[in-house]
Amino acid sequence: MLVLQRKTGQDLRIDGEIVIRILGVSRGRVRLGIEASPRIPVVRAEAAAPGTRGCKPTEERHPDLAAAASNWVGPFALMARRADA
């Protein structure tokens, strides 16, 4: 496990496709903002646990978004292409 310290407003980037921003810390709670491609499911651990209802997959809730996600390359892929040129 990687353990980091971040301040409010700072980001973590994972694999060029996921950005986690620290939105705030208050009364022992951390608010996170997560940006990821629609094809990457982002759910709370307790919602994903076996035996819980959790959320329906994006494909079931929004079939049009699921189709669009299959063509999504993300801003970081575009930045990498520019850097390679």
Side-chain angles (χ1 to χ4, degrees), residues 8-37:
T8 299
Q10 291 182 322
D11 295 341
L12 300 171
R13 298 182 188 276
I14 301 171
D15 197 29
E17 289 192 72
I18 303 169
V19 178
I20 301 172
R21 176 167 289 160
I22 310 305
L23 300 177
V25 180
S26 176
R27 291 182 257 155
R29 302 188 113 191
V30 178
R31 290 185 64 218
L32 301 174
I34 302 171
E35 293 179 27
S37 134

Side-chain angles (χ1 to χ4, degrees), residues 70-81:
S70 64
N71 296 324
W72 194 82
V73 293
F76 302 109
L78 296 175
M79 289 170 35
R81 288 181 190 159

Side-chain angles (χ1 to χ4, degrees), residues 53-84:
R53 289 177 35 183
C55 293
K56 291 181 181 177
T58 300
E59 304 85 46
E60 291 179 25
R61 290 182 292 132
H62 305 285
D64 53 327
L65 285 178
S70 64
N71 296 324
W72 194 82
V73 293
F76 302 109
L78 296 175
M79 289 170 35
R81 288 181 190 159
R82 288 185 199 139
D84 291 339

